[in-house]
Amino acid sequence: MTELNNNNNNNSNNDNDFDRNSSINNMIILTTPTKNDINRVTLQDIEKELSSTSSVPSSAYSVFSKRQKQIIFSVIIYCGFLGPVSGNIYIPALPYLRNAFHVNTTTINSTVSVFMAVFSVAPLCWAMFSDFGGRKFLYTISLIISIIANILLAAVPANIGALFVLRIIQAIGSSSVMSMGAGTVRDIVDLRHRGKAISYFMLGPNCGPILAPIIAGLILMRGSDKWRWLFGSLTIFTFIGLLMVLLLLPETLRCIVGNGDKKWIQDPHIQRKNQNKLLYYLGRRLPVNQSPEFQELYPRPPKPSLKTYYTLLKNPRVTICSISTAIMFAIYYGFSITFSYNLQNYYHLSNLAVSASYCCPGIALLAGSISSGHISDFYRQRWLKRHPNVKSFPSERRLILQIFGLIISCCGCIGYGWSIERHKKLIIVYVFSCLCAFGMTWCSNASLTYLTETMPRQAASTVAINSFFRNIAAALSSVIIHKLTVEMGVGWCFTGLGLSALISVVGVLYLIIRYKTPSVCEK
């Protein structure tokens, strides 16, 4: 991360021009789904804006200091951890909750599916407003909602109806950071280091599935009646995140603060005077500058509406990338849900040993994310050196690396299924579980980096769509995977899941071939 912050403060003018130009080029895609929009924004308008932007003196992509960027990343990494840990800390306690709430297995498992369904839809709302109105305010509100839900889950008497309602509220509050965090990365990190930056941010979401079973195992070791402390611990974790956001996180949305340079600030007292004081201190901000120069450099995206998502979904880049990621998440969650069951039934491991076993794929998640980001940025720099006459790097070339991750995940999934089916040694199961996790996070990191590059003005919204697809796929996978393994057998079930990754390969190849040159991307 030190390398990322050092390099990012000395960005070249070429990168700044490319990011501004890419933002304007993408306006064709983002603002032309209707006849009215076509009349409003024509190709001549785009060319005029390009020429006017080029006349504005360029400045650093972001002027946040090295220390400020480290603090920002620390905050969003920690907050990114809270969403996945809220979902995964609950799963090891399902047998105890079934008895505490006096319901059957299907009913208690449905609380997981409901959480995942809401967790997939809610980011669409968070991201839509964060791309337009600011990041910090929505971070604050979402964490407050999550704290309230966790307190009630820990304190309210056992009632299955209340559990469903509160888990829905918990999912709404804890779902915001994934999309908004990716948007924050785009706000402060230029294209040259975007892959590494996304990989560092993903440390938080990837640590959630690793640490959640361990935390749950340590709490439940003290007795099945201690399940309320699962939500008590989440309250403490989330409260720490809220304090970090309020005290340490500045506003980063570029259409509000630009590149963070204080020269843009006209009069901070006017902002306080024109805004509700409570909203202001919770993080709500108006643009720091209303000058034409500022608006040219940092234009605002379209106002939040459902048409925004309809427009984005019509873009094959967003849709294909999201479907590809969804398939990978379905494979991984199918593995994750059955992992503990198979270890207990076929290898007779204790609850604590099963929780510790999740460290194996967990470490692979972290390794896949970090290595993918660094290699992606290295490949981008090497390609630009080999093509000095090309003005910009075609973002689709980052997806070439994704094919490598898809093949690894496919092999890991098939190998995991047959190693369980044939009762192979436990170390073999661990190896294939690592491959499955490594491939999934490698592909996920490549997709997020690609989406933030191709849709810079609506980075959070595109990542929210990506999260929607993958969380829906994860929810469906968690519901049907047990029945599929019973009907088909573990080996053939995971063989089918693994081969489904080939669908993603076809989609990725289409994007690479279709948008293989910058000129095609601009058209």
Side-chain angles (χ1 to χ4, degrees):
M1 194 183 297
T2 302
E3 176 192 358
L4 170 67
N5 292 316
N6 283 332
N7 292 333
N8 204 37
N9 284 328
N10 299 308
N11 298 323
S12 66
N13 291 340
N14 290 337
D15 278 322
N16 296 321
D17 292 340
F18 170 66
D19 189 70
R20 288 196 299 272
N21 293 347
S22 64
S23 297
I24 297 168
N25 288 333
N26 279 303
M27 286 174 64
I28 300 175
I29 297 173
L30 293 173
T31 59
T32 57
T34 65
K35 292 182 179 179
N36 292 333
D37 288 327
I38 291 174
N39 292 330
R40 221 172 24 241
V41 181
T42 64
L43 184 58
Q44 288 78 10
D45 296 328
I46 301 300
E47 292 173 349
K48 182 178 179 181
E49 192 160 358
L50 277 170
S51 61
S52 64
T53 302
S54 62
S55 65
V56 179
S58 61
S59 57
Y61 184 87
S62 175
V63 300
F64 286 108
S65 67
K66 170 185 172 182
R67 182 177 179 82
Q68 284 178 309
K69 289 176 183 175
Q70 289 176 337
I71 292 173
I72 291 171
F73 267 86
S74 298
V75 173
I76 63 174
I77 288 171
Y78 179 81
C79 291
F81 159 81
L82 297 175
V85 81
S86 297
N88 287 274
I89 200 174
Y90 179 83
I91 294 175
L94 289 177
Y96 305 107
L97 293 170
R98 180 188 60 192
N99 297 328
F101 285 83
H102 306 291
V103 294
N104 57 34
T105 302
T106 302
T107 301
I108 202 65
N109 285 347
S110 297
T111 62
V112 177
S113 299
V114 167
F115 179 92
M116 291 300 300
V118 177
F119 196 83
S120 65
V121 176
L124 297 174
C125 297
W126 293 117
M128 182 167 54
F129 289 97
S130 76
D131 275 335
F132 184 83
R135 316 279 190 208
K136 182 172 181 175
F137 178 66
L138 294 183
Y139 277 124
T140 303
I141 297 301
S142 65
L143 291 174
I144 290 174
I145 292 173
S146 187
I147 288 173
I148 293 172
N150 285 320
I151 291 174
L152 293 176
L153 282 166
V156 170
N159 180 278
I160 191 62
L163 180 63
F164 271 99
V165 172
L166 292 175
R167 283 286 283 176
I168 290 173
I169 298 174
Q170 184 192 40
I172 293 172
S174 61
S175 64
S176 67
V177 179
M178 186 65 191
S179 56
M180 291 200 298
T184 303
V185 170
R186 184 263 162 185
D187 293 338
I188 64 174
V189 180
D190 70 274
L191 294 174
R192 293 182 301 165
H193 310 292
R194 188 71 55 77
K196 291 193 290 286
I198 289 290
S199 68
Y200 289 132
F201 164 64
M202 288 300 294
L203 289 175
N206 287 336
C207 280
I210 303 170
L211 298 179
I214 299 175
I215 297 170
L218 293 173
I219 292 174
L220 296 175
M221 279 178 62
R222 299 177 176 272
S224 59
D225 59 333
K226 301 296 182 182
W227 60 266
R228 291 185 182 276
W229 272 105
L230 298 174
F231 304 111
S233 62
L234 288 176
T235 302
I236 297 171
F237 297 155
T238 310
F239 183 73
I240 293 172
L242 178 61
L243 291 179
M244 293 173 69
V245 168
L246 289 174
L247 301 177
L248 302 176
L249 185 68
E251 180 57 65
T252 62
L253 184 62
R254 295 176 71 80
C255 67
I256 290 182
V257 299
N259 62 354
D261 197 333
K262 292 183 179 179
K263 74 175 183 180
W264 295 118
I265 301 177
Q266 291 177 325
D267 190 349
H269 299 290
I270 295 177
Q271 282 214 341
R272 294 192 186 97
K273 186 177 180 180
N274 294 339
Q275 284 189 263
N276 181 286
K277 289 185 178 181
L278 176 61
L279 296 181
Y280 181 86
Y281 289 109
L282 285 177
R284 186 75 172 91
R285 297 289 187 272
L286 296 174
V288 297
N289 197 301
Q290 300 290 343
S291 67
E293 179 187 10
F294 182 84
Q295 294 176 3
E296 286 179 6
L297 284 170
Y298 310 108
R300 303 197 84 174
K303 288 186 178 181
S305 69
L306 294 179
K307 290 183 179 179
T308 301
Y309 289 116
Y310 175 72
T311 305
L312 291 173
L313 284 172
K314 289 174 64 177
N315 188 332
R317 290 164 156 179
V318 177
T319 304
I320 293 176
C321 220
S322 298
I323 292 174
S324 174
T325 306
I327 292 173
M328 300 308 298
F329 260 70
I331 293 172
Y332 179 75
Y333 263 78
F335 147 75
S336 183
I337 293 294
T338 61
F339 192 51
S340 59
Y341 175 84
N342 290 328
L343 291 181
Q344 287 178 329
N345 286 273
Y346 294 117
Y347 296 93
H348 310 292
L349 298 184
S350 65
N351 287 333
L352 186 60
V354 170
S355 298
S357 296
Y358 276 92
C359 290
C360 193
I363 293 172
L365 286 174
L366 301 181
S369 177
I370 295 296
S371 59
S372 173
H374 280 267
I375 293 174
S376 179
D377 284 346
F378 173 77
Y379 174 69
R380 179 183 185 275
Q381 294 170 6
R382 187 176 179 182
W383 190 91
L384 287 173
K385 287 181 180 179
R386 290 183 174 182
H387 302 80
N389 297 325
V390 180
K391 292 182 179 180
S392 59
F393 175 74
S395 300
E396 276 70 22
R397 288 191 172 271
R398 287 191 187 267
L399 297 177
I400 293 175
L401 297 175
Q402 190 170 358
I403 297 175
F404 173 70
L406 290 169
I407 294 172
I408 290 179
S409 183
C410 177
C411 294
C413 183
I414 295 173
Y416 165 76
W418 288 108
S419 62
I420 294 292
E421 181 84 13
R422 302 290 174 85
H423 305 291
K424 297 295 183 181
K425 291 182 179 180
L426 192 58
I427 186 65
I428 297 177
V429 177
Y430 287 155
V431 168
F432 283 118
S433 69
C434 283
L435 293 177
C436 187
F438 182 91
M440 186 279 293
T441 191
W442 179 288
C443 296
S444 178
N445 184 78
S447 295
L448 293 180
T449 304
Y450 171 70
L451 289 174
T452 58
E453 281 192 14
T454 55
M455 301 292 172
R457 290 174 59 201
Q458 293 178 299
S461 296
T462 53
V463 172
I465 291 175
N466 187 269
S467 298
F468 170 77
F469 274 84
R470 70 184 188 181
N471 287 323
I472 287 293
L476 293 175
S477 179
S478 63
V479 169
I480 67 175
I481 190 64
H482 180 69
K483 186 173 182 179
L484 287 177
T485 55
V486 171
E487 296 292 332
M488 300 173 62
V490 179
W492 285 113
C493 175
F494 280 91
T495 297
L497 283 175
L499 292 177
S500 66
L502 297 178
I503 299 174
S504 298
V505 173
V506 174
V508 170
L509 288 175
Y510 168 79
L511 291 177
I512 294 171
I513 296 171
R514 176 68 180 84
Y515 301 99
K516 60 183 176 181
T517 62
S519 60
V520 176
C521 297
E522 291 173 6
K523 289 179 182 179

